[in-house]
Amino acid sequence: MSYSKPAMMGPVAVVAPTAVTPDIPYQANLNLTVTCPDCKEVPPNIVEEFSSGDMVCGSCGLVLGDRIVDTRSEWRTFSNDDQGNDDPSRVGDGANPLLNGSQLQTTISFGDGGSGRSRDLHRAQNKSTHDKSTKGLLAAYKEIGAFCDSTHIPKNVSDSAKHLFKMVDDAKAFKGKPQEVIIAGCIFIACRQCKVPRTFREIFALTKVPKKEIGRVFKLLEKFFANQNQEKMNAVAQSGGVVSSENNYTNTMSTNPKELCVRFCSHLGLTAVCTMVSQGVAERMTAIGALAGRSPLSAAAACIYLTSYLMKQGKTAKEISAVAGVSDGTIRTAYKILYEHREKLVDPDWIKDGKGDMKLLPPS
């Protein structure tokens, strides 16, 4: 029995099985793309202009956004030819004009893992850069800020008081005066300059400095600041410069009852119309001299007492005395004088169309 040889076969190509890709369901493109509503180009031709801070369309020039932040690197320049120290670089913290020196100190932290070396280095660095004048200024600024914040005095008044105190400290004036007295005088002057006046009694309640001492140092500070301003103006004029009236110190005027009416009416919860009328009554009262020689507090309280009944929002003398800080008897006494001049003090336009009524005014 014989067997035949199998036939020789060529190389067989092995075909890999094709992978079956599953059908991917449709998904919405949630990427946010800024496009020009006029051109509607895809992809959009958007240009970020860091010089102007705008994002504009490069095709039509339509502004698509503003306030673009420049994220590029900024570098310090240390050249001496920067035209009067006009360095355009914005790197670094701004200097505080209320402090002295270059303010470029190095601070050493305590985060060294508890070895104690950083604490020793911190102590040595503080001794080498210790400045008593700066420390005293910071303590005074902190005290001024605390006083102003406790009575809700605006921040611009606090900054003005700090600037006035720095002028006194730089000139080394009033060395015999306690620091608390100087601070009280600076706050009093700053309140008047910023059109939010406070009385001596309110400053006394705030700083615990006697009213006579506040009045005494107030006159001295007024004279000192006026002399400082005159010397500065003379120096500028001698150097050939132009004297600017923006930074000049102006002597403060006495407290006006009209300026006190706004704050007192706000504390009493009176309307804006009633506040405006009380200011008008106070202005006319000053013009005719009805309460000449009396305290601005009692004059403002009497004007508010008259206006509240005139505009049908009557407030008792006791309620006004709690806000103004004067006795109710003083308010009634001043009101009797205003009642005699009521025809001159009240404008007919204030009470027309039933807004107010002169008959509602109490005789006393």
Side-chain angles (χ1 to χ4, degrees):
M1 187 175 180
S2 62
Y3 298 92
S4 60
K5 293 181 179 181
M8 299 296 295
M9 299 181 61
V12 178
V14 179
V15 179
T18 57
V20 179
T21 57
D23 295 337
I24 300 176
Y26 171 77
Q27 293 180 352
N29 186 6
L30 300 179
N31 294 327
L32 297 178
T33 305
V34 178
T35 58
C36 178
D38 292 346
C39 301
K40 298 181 181 179
E41 295 180 344
V42 179
N45 183 16
I46 305 299
V47 179
E48 293 181 347
E49 294 184 353
F50 294 113
S51 58
S52 60
D54 296 332
M55 182 169 55
V56 301
C57 176
S59 301
C60 65
L62 179 65
V63 179
L64 303 178
D66 56 356
R67 299 181 182 275
I68 301 300
V69 179
D70 190 354
T71 57
R72 297 173 298 178
S73 301
E74 295 182 294
W75 308 104
R76 293 290 304 272
T77 60
F78 299 92
S79 58
N80 294 326
D81 54 348
D82 53 359
Q83 299 178 358
N85 297 326
D86 187 16
D87 186 359
S89 174
R90 299 193 300 270
V91 175
D93 192 11
N96 188 354
L98 297 175
L99 297 178
N100 299 320
S102 60
Q103 306 171 27
L104 297 176
Q105 295 87 0
T106 300
T107 303
I108 300 177
S109 65
F110 294 97
D112 61 345
S115 64
R117 292 184 179 181
S118 293
R119 182 176 56 190
D120 296 338
L121 289 173
H122 182 78
R123 187 179 303 163
Q125 193 261 352
N126 281 343
K127 289 182 178 179
S128 62
T129 60
H130 183 67
D131 189 0
K132 290 184 178 180
S133 61
T134 302
K135 187 177 181 180
L137 281 175
L138 289 175
Y141 295 160
K142 184 178 181 181
E143 193 170 357
I144 292 174
F147 283 148
C148 294
D149 292 341
S150 62
T151 53
H152 306 287
I153 295 178
K155 188 177 184 301
N156 62 330
V157 178
S158 176
D159 294 339
S160 180
K162 293 175 184 178
H163 176 68
L164 295 175
F165 183 86
K166 187 176 186 300
M167 291 175 61
V168 176
D169 185 77
D170 291 344
K172 306 298 180 184
F174 308 106
K175 284 190 175 181
K177 294 286 184 181
Q179 181 173 293
E180 294 78 10
V181 177
I182 304 297
I183 289 176
C186 291
I187 293 176
F188 182 80
I189 294 176
C191 287
R192 282 192 173 185
Q193 285 188 335
C194 297
K195 308 300 181 182
V196 284
R198 296 296 190 271
T199 61
F200 287 126
R201 186 178 302 171
E202 290 175 307
I203 300 298
F204 162 69
L206 178 65
T207 62
K208 305 304 179 184
V209 177
K211 291 185 290 184
K212 290 185 178 180
E213 193 67 27
I214 297 175
R216 194 177 295 114
V217 77
F218 162 68
K219 294 180 180 179
L220 295 175
L221 286 174
E222 284 269 86
K223 186 177 180 180
F224 167 75
F225 292 139
N227 293 336
Q228 288 285 102
N229 183 57
Q230 188 63 36
E231 292 177 2
K232 182 178 68 175
M233 293 176 62
N234 293 338
V236 172
Q238 290 178 1
S239 62
V242 179
V243 179
S244 175
S245 60
E246 295 181 357
N247 298 325
N248 291 343
Y249 176 82
T250 55
N251 290 332
T252 58
M253 305 297 293
S254 60
T255 303
N256 193 342
K258 178 182 177 182
E259 298 172 344
L260 297 174
C261 288
V262 180
R263 183 156 49 92
F264 292 163
C265 289
S266 176
H267 291 326
L268 290 169
L270 298 176
T271 61
V273 176
C274 189
T275 303
M276 182 190 67
V277 174
S278 66
Q279 287 183 292
V281 171
E283 190 174 359
R284 292 192 172 199
M285 175 203 66
T286 306
I288 66 176
L291 293 179
R294 289 186 176 269
S295 169
L297 285 174
S298 58
C303 291
I304 295 173
Y305 185 73
L306 183 146
T307 306
S308 63
Y309 283 98
L310 178 68
M311 305 304 292
K312 304 177 183 180
Q313 303 177 35
K315 296 290 182 181
T316 63
K318 193 171 184 180
E319 290 176 312
I320 299 175
S321 66
V323 173
V326 294
S327 63
D328 52 351
T330 304
I331 297 175
R332 290 193 182 94
T333 304
Y335 169 74
K336 290 180 182 179
I337 302 175
L338 296 182
Y339 185 76
E340 296 175 358
H341 300 84
R342 60 186 181 278
E343 299 295 339
K344 299 179 182 179
L345 296 176
V346 178
D347 190 344
D349 292 337
W350 297 341
I351 58 176
K352 68 179 182 180
D353 300 332
K355 296 179 182 177
D357 191 356
M358 292 277 286
K359 298 179 181 179
L360 297 177
L361 294 177
S364 61

